[in-house]
Amino acid sequence: MNKKYVLTLRGLLVGILLVLFIFIEIGSRHVFTLLQDLSSTESPQASASLDLVPVSAPMPTLDLAAVSPTTPQPVPVKTPLVLFKGKIEHVFFHPLIAFPELAFDGDSMAQGYNDWFITVKEFNKILDSLYRNQYVLIDIGSLYTEKDGAVRPKELWLPADKKPLVLSIDDLNYYTYMRENGNAFRLVLDEHGEVAAYSMTPQREPITARNNEIVPILDDFVLAHPDFSWQGAKGVIALTGYEGILGYRTDQLDSPNYMNAKEGVLPVIKRLKETGWSFASHGYGHLDTSKITLNRFKQDTLRWKQEVEPLIGATSVYIYPFGSSVLPEDRKYQFLVEEGFRIMCSVGPVPYLAFKPDSVMMDRRHIDGIALHDQRSRLLPLFDSQEIWDSIRPGSGPK
């Protein structure tokens, strides 16, 4: 081939590549400027939930046609926030019945499980109903602010038509009786580093699953329905300490296995916090606050702070065992405030939230067999228990 012809061809190719590079550079700068303009018009009120693409974010790969100045660019839709002024629901559960054949087997524990627990099937239906009814999970700590020891209500701004919901789980400790009656055994991290439940089937086969306990079920539900969680909130895990926490025997401080238990539970706690879960004290020994003496109550509270708090971190939430509360004038209540607790949660049939100068009092609805059977009308704002009821339960359905 003629040498002069080869040089001319190479020059032509270089020229084409140069023109193409300039065309792409101009188009990408146009898109970059457009995103800057869009972000400058964002409402401060909506910025907490619906941020536009940051100016510093890497640009996605675009076709040449997409960067043309004449091609309309998609404009993000912003959801307006409104100040919520209604009642705030708080519902709580116990660990789920993973194996109904063990829970409803007619032994001495069967009635208790029918009264105080719900099945996996029921929990899944409840989540679906709460979502359809426009509830959104919020962090219980977002309800108040504190300055110089004074506690004040905090404004709650939510997407329009959404209703706030606090969710908590009591006794996610996996006591010995739970392991024998159809609950999971402990929370663990699965092969992907996500929180799952370790269980033994009725056939005594070990399984690790994400579909038979509240935490992983709710995690996956929020993953599929991000608008069910406001700012990443999930729920509050209320723990005692007398049989360890989350299925690990962290109560046996003198045991040679204590360090193994501690090292096993800490990564689970870390992942729970990373994924929107928080913790509360449920007392160390699950004692009835209103019935025990002040001295015993102090001992119980301090033991929880000595054994459990170092593992889960400090918390401002105290959830009364049995829902048995005391009034702010009671020395037990005052002791809780002195120990750093600010939100005291009891049990009640309807939403209740009251602010005191140094604390907050909140009631929770118990969602269990008794509630499903006896409180259908009261629960209708949340769900219809006739639709929730699992036919595997003994006895008749909801009234």
Side-chain angles (χ1 to χ4, degrees):
M1 182 179 292
N2 187 285
K3 184 176 181 181
K4 182 177 181 180
Y5 177 79
V6 171
L7 291 174
T8 302
L9 180 60
R10 286 180 179 175
L12 180 61
L13 289 175
V14 170
I16 292 173
L17 291 174
L18 181 61
V19 171
L20 185 61
F21 173 80
I22 293 173
F23 184 70
I24 294 174
E25 179 70 10
I26 292 173
S28 64
R29 287 181 180 178
H30 172 78
V31 175
F32 187 74
T33 303
L34 178 60
L35 284 172
Q36 285 181 312
D37 293 341
L38 284 174
S39 65
S40 68
T41 64
E42 183 180 7
S43 166
Q45 180 172 287
S47 63
S49 61
L50 292 167
D51 294 331
L52 299 180
V53 179
V55 173
S56 60
M59 292 303 300
T61 301
L62 299 175
D63 294 331
L64 291 179
V67 300
S68 169
T70 61
T71 303
Q73 298 298 309
V75 178
V77 177
K78 296 188 292 185
T79 301
L81 301 183
V82 297
L83 179 61
F84 184 82
K85 297 182 179 180
K87 295 181 179 179
I88 298 175
E89 291 280 2
H90 187 162
V91 298
F92 84 93
F93 306 84
H94 288 105
L96 296 183
I97 297 173
F99 305 104
E101 59 269 46
L102 296 179
F104 305 134
D105 58 358
D107 66 5
S108 60
M109 297 294 295
Q111 187 58 51
Y113 269 79
N114 199 28
D115 288 344
W116 305 115
F117 294 79
I118 67 170
T119 66
V120 170
K121 183 178 179 180
E122 289 169 338
F123 183 71
N124 283 323
K125 288 184 176 181
I126 288 172
L127 285 185
D128 288 336
S129 181
L130 291 171
Y131 183 69
R132 287 196 308 270
N133 287 330
Q134 296 299 308
Y135 284 96
V136 60
L137 296 171
I138 64 167
D139 180 1
I140 194 171
S142 68
L143 298 178
Y144 78 99
T145 60
E146 182 180 8
K147 184 177 181 180
D148 299 327
V151 171
R152 296 288 183 270
K154 185 177 181 179
E155 289 186 344
L156 182 60
W157 291 84
L158 296 175
D161 301 324
K162 289 294 185 179
K163 296 174 285 188
L165 174 72
V166 178
L167 181 148
S168 54
I169 314 169
D170 285 7
D171 302 297
L172 202 64
N173 300 77
Y174 300 111
Y175 308 126
T176 300
Y177 82 82
M178 291 181 175
R179 302 179 182 200
E180 298 170 350
N181 288 278
N183 297 112
F185 276 41
R186 70 177 68 95
L187 294 185
V188 297
L189 298 183
D190 64 13
E191 65 273 19
H192 305 294
E194 301 299 335
V195 178
Y198 171 83
S199 312
M200 293 290 289
T201 69
Q203 295 74 36
R204 308 308 296 171
E205 296 176 355
I207 61 168
T208 298
R210 290 182 51 81
N211 63 357
N212 63 358
E213 185 55 282
I214 293 175
V215 169
I217 290 175
L218 186 55
D219 283 347
D220 287 344
F221 190 88
V222 170
L223 187 64
H225 308 86
D227 56 331
F228 186 57
S229 170
W230 179 239
Q231 298 179 331
K234 297 287 178 59
V236 184
I237 299 173
L239 297 173
T240 61
Y242 69 95
E243 280 196 27
I245 62 172
L246 305 177
Y248 299 82
R249 293 310 298 259
T250 53
D251 58 307
Q252 300 173 343
L253 295 135
D254 297 328
S255 168
N257 293 321
Y258 173 77
M259 288 307 300
N260 288 336
K262 180 178 178 180
E263 291 172 0
V265 76
L266 286 178
V268 178
I269 293 170
K270 181 176 183 290
R271 188 57 183 156
L272 286 167
K273 290 182 176 182
E274 291 172 346
T275 52
W277 294 90
S278 60
F279 293 92
S281 173
H282 200 36
Y284 185 85
H286 205 283
L287 307 177
D288 190 318
T289 304
S290 66
K291 293 181 179 179
I292 60 177
T293 65
L294 174 61
N295 186 55
R296 191 176 184 193
F297 178 73
K298 287 183 175 181
Q299 291 176 347
D300 182 81
T301 303
L302 292 175
R303 187 170 183 183
W304 187 93
K305 290 182 74 68
Q306 291 165 359
E307 288 189 21
V308 181
E309 187 176 274
L311 299 172
I312 65 169
T315 177
S316 63
V317 185
Y318 189 88
I319 292 180
Y320 294 104
F322 307 106
S324 181
S325 61
V326 291
L327 296 174
E329 297 77 22
D330 194 297
R331 273 296 298 143
K332 297 170 187 173
Y333 189 102
Q334 295 167 9
F335 180 72
L336 289 175
V337 174
E338 292 167 4
E339 290 300 317
F341 296 103
R342 294 294 179 265
I343 305 180
M344 320 303 179
C345 298
S346 185
V347 175
V350 294
Y352 174 80
L353 183 66
F355 286 82
K356 303 301 176 183
D358 56 5
S359 57
V360 184
M361 300 170 65
M362 190 176 201
D363 278 359
R364 310 177 299 155
R365 295 183 191 249
H366 59 103
I367 308 300
D368 49 30
I370 289 178
L372 294 181
H373 188 270
D374 298 340
Q375 300 176 11
R376 177 175 177 248
S377 60
R378 287 180 175 173
L379 293 173
L380 283 175
L382 304 168
F383 53 80
D384 187 341
S385 59
Q386 285 188 343
E387 299 174 357
I388 304 300
W389 187 266
D390 192 336
S391 60
I392 201 171
R393 285 183 175 275
S396 60
K399 294 180 180 178

